[in-house]
Amino acid sequence: MQARSLSSKLLALAFGAGTILGCKSTPPPPTPPVDLLHVPSPDWRDQIIYFVMTDRFANGEPGNDDQGAGEFDPGNGAKYSGGDLKGIESKLDYIQGLGATAIWITPPVANQWWDPLVNYGGYHGYWALDFTRVDAHQGTLEDYRSLSRALHGRGMYLVQDIVLNHMANCFRYTRYDPADVTAGVVLNTGAKPACGPTQAPFDQWDLTRPEHRDAHVFHWTPTIADYANREQELGWQLSDLDDLNTENPAVVAALKDSYNFWIREVGVDAFRVDTVFYVPPTTVQDFLHSQDTAHPGVLEYARSLGKDGFLAFGEGFASDKPFEDTMSRKVALYMKDPVTGEERLPGMLDFPLYRTAGDVFARGSPTSHLAFRMQRGAALFPRPQLMPTFLDNHDVDRFLSGGSQAALRQGLLFMMTVPGIPVIYYGTEQGFTEQRGAMFARGYGSGGEDHFDTEAPLYSLIRELTTLRKTHAVFRHGTPSVLRQNDARSGVFAYEMRNGADLVLVVFNTSDEDTLLDNLQTNLPEGSRLKLLASLDSGAGDATVGRGGRLSLKLPARAARVFRPDGTTTPLPPETARITLSSASGSTVAGDFELTGTATGVSSFQVVVDGALGTAQQVAVEPDGTWRTTVAVGGMVDPDVQHSLVAWNEEAQVLSDTLTFRVDRAFKDLVTHEDPAGDDTGPEGRYHYPTDTSWGDNHQGDLRRVTLQGSGTVLKLALQTAAITTTWNPQNGFDHVAFTIFVDVPGRTGLTVMPQQNASVPAGMDWDYRIRVHGWSNALFDTRGASATQDGTPVSPAASIEVDAASNTVMLTLPNQLFAGLTSLAGVKVYVTTWDYDGGYRPLVPTAEQWKFWGGDGTVDPLVLDDTPVLTIP
């Protein structure tokens, strides 16, 4: 990606070519009123949100950092770092310069500062004690009003994060008896600054007091044990946070009053509603739309203040597996009542798209996964254009913790060219890998430096992409149609965005190698000129639609291009060459097969399978114009996947028709290792699991059997452990364990150091690929840049993940691209380790702690619970 070339193209569009091409620019914001606290709502389709975790962004008032409760320590990620509302206001030039038009902040309300039951602090804002006061660490009400006025004066908008489901952790259960809710309860008397909420009616939190119990402001329940149990999801505690009884009208009335306060007193323009899946949809509907004059719904109240388009979007942490939509339907449920059609939330965070976009761009999944997700989202969600889109946030790993810079650039371009409200998580523009690292020098994980570099490559790229989106209304208001996908692997993904007569074409190559876009039907006239609006590869230029309205392009690794027909056509040169295939599409084969055909005007060409130019086979044409070749299918194993091939001569720019086929092959067991039970205690048998009850006595890190299976050059690992748990609702289907796997490919020179694990692989192997998989991430690294402290370089495609909970087995399938050049898997070596991962390998400390492994020194001792010997495929 050449940032300078993209910048020059976009600047030309913004200041000249955009008008010539008939682009519809974003209308200027209306002249703000004299009182900048309250301004009319914008068209949210035209906004770009910058999401700030206030405590970690900028410190404008050091005097409020430490409230004297032992809660402040920038060296500790569990405690306050010092960011505040004044800090955000001081950086508005930086944020607006990026192209953002709105700022979303984490809850600014008075919080529980320190919870000794979990040894963690409320710096993030989601543990409220009072929904109507600004937390002392954040500043004052006047500071908040000042930020609001400063934003509105720039034509920008303010989004406040709010919580309906829970408040701070003031009680927990050691055991639970629904017949006696006071049995087994522990009050959090050591919490700072106070044990319970101070705001009425939420101050009735002490279930040991009969009058509090009888008020039913809270549910007197334990923490959720089964996220698939809807009763628990709605009425039990999320991670021990005291669950509000939102079926109680008095509670909902107080919540409406509390959040209407911020609209009235601060001029907030939108709410992000946290954890909505844990609140009944009918409660959400009442909270938003109630006509109660004493306690109006927040959308009704905002309308009374002139904010007719007040936006509320919910957070439902939901992601679907490929070609499934169960969780997407749950997201849609919170936007509209499926029976009555009554409106609920105007928007929801597009978590389903987040997961699939990460799988495709960062982990190299087939682009058909993204095609399905876009199509289902358009069909299921009432208002896709009001659904904020994102690549990462404060609750998940940073994109760059397991994805490459090139993948992130593609993800950003995708987010800026599809429906939805793009959300940029603070620090993405500076290349952050730390989930909640600070932008300011004295904050947590900052490395002692400020990170507000407006010349940083990713800052420059995002600025260019926001300009692209603002310049062309089709990206903000248009409707997408997927034109091409790759069913088998990473590679081509193409879609059009259309808004009336306005049309753009977006083309990606998500692969780390060159790929061929062949015979894409554009439905445009032959010879149509496609003007290049933006690209991520320096060699890109305008394109011309070929015969039959088809477009074919050679796309470099990680290319992305945005085209717009300029309305002109150019006569095509006479056809001088032709290649035909004798086989018909749609067959299923069990192994390598012969392909034949004819050719004129060329002496040779390449057979390109699934778009992959790096493995394309050169074929010579016989004097009589015939040809034949064998198509190898050793890396193809899934009978449900449709593959494609095309014959192509680059010099003559001639292609055959595209042929499709499927492959039906079986996996065979290659190596089985039976691992002893109970040896998940580290290299010297002295490690212990964290003491938190969520680990229980499950021994999730105890390997029991590891089986290596193969089909051609595709490798599958079946990892059986003592238990599979899903306590924290992990998207990958297992939690409380991370697998780190090292793969040694014959004929290559690798490394022996095990990054971040204080260890080296056993004698007899060096690794070429390293896989790190846990409940929320899936990353593949090669050895470039790897060291004792550095992961290496993220590459794709990553392993695909399946979980068989009945047999306590996690199955990882490694694609044949990892074994390029091999004809079989013979000689491949694999080494498997277990630990756990939470934004980094979970710490190891000498003595027992709630959230850390213990029994060793994590600065020098190996971070390995259990491991296998080196497993070599015969």
Side-chain angles (χ1 to χ4, degrees):
M1 151 65 198
Q2 299 293 322
R4 186 169 298 172
S5 64
L6 178 56
S7 176
S8 62
K9 292 170 187 171
L10 291 173
L11 287 173
L13 286 168
F15 298 108
T19 302
I20 295 170
L21 295 175
C23 303
K24 299 179 181 178
S25 300
T26 307
T31 303
V34 175
D35 182 5
L36 295 175
L37 198 64
H38 291 283
V39 298
S41 299
D43 185 338
W44 284 98
R45 297 175 300 174
D46 295 331
Q47 308 311 309
I48 297 169
I49 298 174
Y50 187 79
F51 174 28
V52 169
M53 174 161 276
T54 305
D55 178 68
R56 301 296 163 88
F57 185 66
N59 191 343
E61 177 51 74
N64 63 27
D65 293 354
D66 190 345
Q67 298 296 321
E71 84 293 353
F72 173 72
D73 180 1
N76 185 341
K79 295 191 175 185
Y80 284 82
S81 273
D84 50 33
L85 296 168
K86 281 188 176 181
I88 297 174
E89 185 174 347
S90 74
K91 298 299 180 183
L92 292 186
D93 283 346
Y94 171 87
I95 297 171
Q96 191 171 34
L98 192 64
T101 63
I103 296 178
W104 156 15
I105 66 169
T106 43
V109 302
N111 249 242
Q112 186 177 74
W113 298 338
W114 185 251
D115 181 353
L117 296 182
V118 297
N119 288 307
Y120 208 81
Y123 65 86
H124 42 69
Y126 296 97
W127 298 350
L129 294 178
D130 189 327
F131 288 126
T132 61
R133 287 192 296 114
V134 175
D135 191 88
H137 296 88
Q138 305 294 300
T140 66
L141 182 61
E142 283 307 314
D143 292 338
Y144 200 13
R145 288 171 173 151
S146 177
L147 173 61
S148 177
R149 289 188 171 100
L151 285 166
H152 293 158
R154 293 166 174 260
M156 298 176 71
Y157 302 95
L158 175 60
V159 182
Q160 179 177 319
D161 216 327
I162 68 171
V163 183
L164 305 182
N165 174 66
H166 59 263
M167 298 187 77
N169 177 19
C170 301
F171 66 89
R172 73 186 309 182
Y173 284 97
T174 57
R175 60 182 179 84
Y176 180 60
D177 180 0
D180 180 4
V181 295
T182 63
V185 72
V186 175
L187 298 184
N188 197 1
T189 54
K192 304 294 183 179
C195 188
T198 55
Q199 175 194 3
F202 309 114
D203 55 356
Q204 300 178 84
W205 59 269
D206 185 352
L207 73 170
T208 66
R209 299 173 62 179
E211 66 272 24
H212 284 198
R213 289 199 306 275
D214 293 344
H216 296 294
V217 172
F218 294 90
H219 288 127
W220 313 119
T221 49
T223 194
I224 297 170
D226 180 3
Y227 283 87
N229 184 317
R230 186 63 170 155
E231 181 182 352
Q232 290 188 24
E233 187 176 44
L234 291 175
W236 288 25
Q237 296 189 60
L238 176 65
S239 299
D240 269 338
L241 298 170
D242 297 359
D243 196 75
L244 288 167
N245 179 11
T246 52
E247 294 86 356
N248 183 338
V251 170
V252 179
L255 288 169
K256 287 184 286 188
D257 293 347
S258 296
Y259 291 123
N260 286 339
F261 170 88
W262 299 109
I263 302 174
R264 178 180 67 251
E265 297 298 327
V266 178
V268 170
D269 302 294
F271 287 148
R272 179 267 198 180
V273 186
D274 182 66
T275 54
V276 294
F277 283 170
Y278 304 89
V279 178
T282 51
T283 296
V284 175
Q285 192 168 323
D286 181 34
F287 174 76
L288 295 170
H289 301 284
S290 172
Q291 302 289 320
D292 182 351
T293 56
H295 308 285
V298 296
L299 298 188
E300 294 299 319
Y301 188 75
R303 189 173 294 113
S304 73
L305 297 178
K307 296 179 182 289
D308 291 344
F310 190 92
L311 177 67
F313 58 93
E315 181 240 10
F317 202 125
S319 62
D320 287 302
K321 296 178 181 178
F323 308 113
E324 295 182 2
D325 66 3
T326 300
M327 298 306 294
S328 295
R329 291 179 182 276
K330 188 173 182 179
V331 169
L333 177 69
Y334 277 83
M335 296 179 71
K336 180 179 284 190
D337 188 312
V339 177
T340 67
E342 291 180 297
E343 298 293 342
R344 289 170 177 166
L345 282 155
M348 287 282 288
L349 281 167
D350 202 338
F351 263 95
L353 187 64
Y354 147 76
R355 175 178 178 175
T356 306
D359 285 344
V360 168
F361 292 114
R363 294 176 281 279
S365 293
T367 62
S368 58
H369 296 184
L370 190 54
F372 175 87
R373 191 63 56 219
M374 289 178 65
Q375 291 160 350
R376 293 307 293 149
L380 288 174
F381 303 138
R383 292 167 292 278
Q385 291 166 336
L386 292 184
M387 296 184 68
T389 56
F390 61 101
L391 298 178
D392 53 15
N393 63 27
H394 58 321
D395 289 326
V396 298
D397 286 349
R398 290 271 186 179
F399 189 100
L400 287 176
S401 71
S404 67
Q405 285 259 357
L408 175 59
R409 291 172 181 269
Q410 289 195 318
L412 289 166
L413 176 59
F414 172 76
M415 186 169 65
M416 293 295 175
T417 57
V418 295
I421 307 170
V423 177
I424 302 160
Y425 184 39
Y426 86 96
T428 294
E429 74 280 7
Q430 300 297 332
F432 274 25
T433 58
E434 176 67 44
Q435 185 187 69
R436 299 181 179 185
M439 294 278 281
F440 58 101
R442 293 184 61 192
Y444 171 73
S446 70
E449 299 178 1
D450 283 335
H451 297 276
F452 299 98
D453 180 7
T454 58
E455 299 302 317
L458 286 169
Y459 186 100
S460 298
L461 174 69
I462 294 172
R463 179 174 55 207
E464 293 157 2
L465 294 178
T466 57
T467 300
L468 176 71
R469 186 174 181 88
K470 292 175 181 179
T471 303
H472 297 277
V474 66
F475 298 124
R476 311 186 307 271
H477 300 177
T479 301
S481 297
V482 176
L483 302 179
R484 177 63 58 83
Q485 63 195 40
N486 194 319
D487 294 336
R489 51 168 291 158
S490 57
V492 169
F493 184 59
Y495 53 91
E496 68 174 24
M497 289 290 296
R498 186 181 292 274
N499 183 33
D502 201 3
L503 171 71
V504 292
L505 177 66
V506 185
V507 178
F508 289 93
N509 171 19
T510 65
S511 173
D512 291 330
E513 59 184 280
D514 293 355
T515 199
L516 179 66
L517 168 64
D518 63 279
N519 299 316
L520 176 69
Q521 182 53 250
T522 65
N523 297 314
L524 294 170
E526 293 182 359
S528 293
R529 194 69 176 167
L530 301 177
K531 298 294 292 183
L532 184 71
L533 299 185
S535 73
L536 297 182
D537 53 296
S538 58
D542 296 346
T544 301
V545 176
R547 286 178 175 79
R550 297 183 297 186
L551 177 67
S552 298
L553 294 171
K554 179 181 178 180
L555 297 170
R558 291 292 180 176
R561 300 176 184 179
V562 182
F563 296 105
R564 186 170 184 269
D566 67 3
T568 66
T569 58
T570 302
L572 298 178
E575 188 175 33
T576 60
R578 190 175 185 189
I579 308 173
T580 67
L581 307 175
S582 60
S583 301
S585 287
S587 63
T588 298
V589 300
D592 299 349
F593 64 94
E594 186 175 65
L595 187 68
T596 62
T598 62
T600 58
V602 295
S603 59
S604 66
F605 57 85
Q606 290 179 297
V607 172
V608 184
V609 179
D610 291 330
L613 288 171
T615 54
Q617 184 177 358
Q618 193 75 24
V619 179
V621 180
E622 298 295 332
D624 65 356
T626 63
W627 57 267
R628 68 181 58 245
T629 189
T630 300
V631 178
V633 298
M636 308 174 192
V637 295
D638 188 343
D640 294 327
V641 169
Q642 177 175 276
H643 299 272
S644 67
L645 65 79
V646 66
W648 175 62
N649 181 286
E650 181 176 11
E651 183 179 0
Q653 288 295 292
V654 60
L655 296 92
S656 70
D657 290 336
T658 303
L659 180 146
T660 61
F661 64 97
R662 299 177 190 271
V663 179
D664 191 0
R665 301 178 55 165
F667 280 91
K668 298 179 180 179
D669 288 353
L670 304 174
V671 177
T672 298
H673 166 69
E674 302 288 348
D675 202 79
D679 62 340
D680 51 333
T681 53
E684 298 178 7
R686 50 189 171 87
Y687 294 175
H688 303 269
Y689 286 88
T691 59
D692 187 79
T693 56
S694 62
W695 266 271
D697 193 28
N698 292 301
H699 293 271
Q700 296 94 331
D702 186 8
L703 292 168
R704 295 296 178 86
R705 177 186 296 117
V706 173
T707 303
L708 308 185
Q709 300 174 317
S711 179
T713 51
V714 177
L715 177 62
K716 181 178 288 188
L717 289 73
L719 311 174
Q720 185 185 63
T721 61
I724 292 289
T725 58
T726 56
T727 306
W728 292 334
N729 200 25
Q731 69 176 24
N732 287 336
F734 64 96
D735 60 20
H736 287 72
V737 65
F739 300 98
T740 307
I741 300 153
F742 300 86
V743 179
D744 182 357
V745 181
R748 303 182 194 176
T749 301
L751 296 179
T752 58
V753 66
M754 295 166 53
Q756 302 180 38
Q757 290 184 270
N758 302 330
S760 296
V761 295
M765 79 172 292
D766 53 42
W767 64 270
D768 303 293
Y769 294 106
R770 172 174 166 264
I771 302 148
R772 189 193 68 225
V773 176
H774 82 301
W776 292 268
S777 70
N778 175 17
L780 172 70
F781 305 93
D782 67 18
T783 58
R784 292 171 295 167
S787 68
T789 58
Q790 299 297 316
D791 281 323
T793 299
V795 293
S796 66
S800 62
I801 304 173
E802 299 173 81
V803 176
D804 181 1
S807 66
N808 297 321
T809 301
V810 175
M811 291 165 286
L812 309 177
T813 302
L814 311 186
N816 67 307
Q817 289 96 314
L818 275 60
F819 308 105
L822 301 185
T823 58
S824 77
L825 293 171
V828 170
K829 298 178 180 179
V830 176
Y831 174 58
V832 181
T833 71
T834 64
W835 194 252
D836 195 26
Y837 195 86
D838 184 13
Y841 286 99
R842 191 170 293 280
L844 171 66
V845 294
T847 57
E849 286 198 28
Q850 183 175 12
W851 301 109
K852 299 174 182 178
F853 291 106
W854 60 281
D857 181 351
T859 63
V860 294
D861 288 337
L863 303 188
V864 176
L865 276 178
D866 197 359
D867 65 350
T868 65
V870 174
L871 306 178
T872 304
I873 298 176

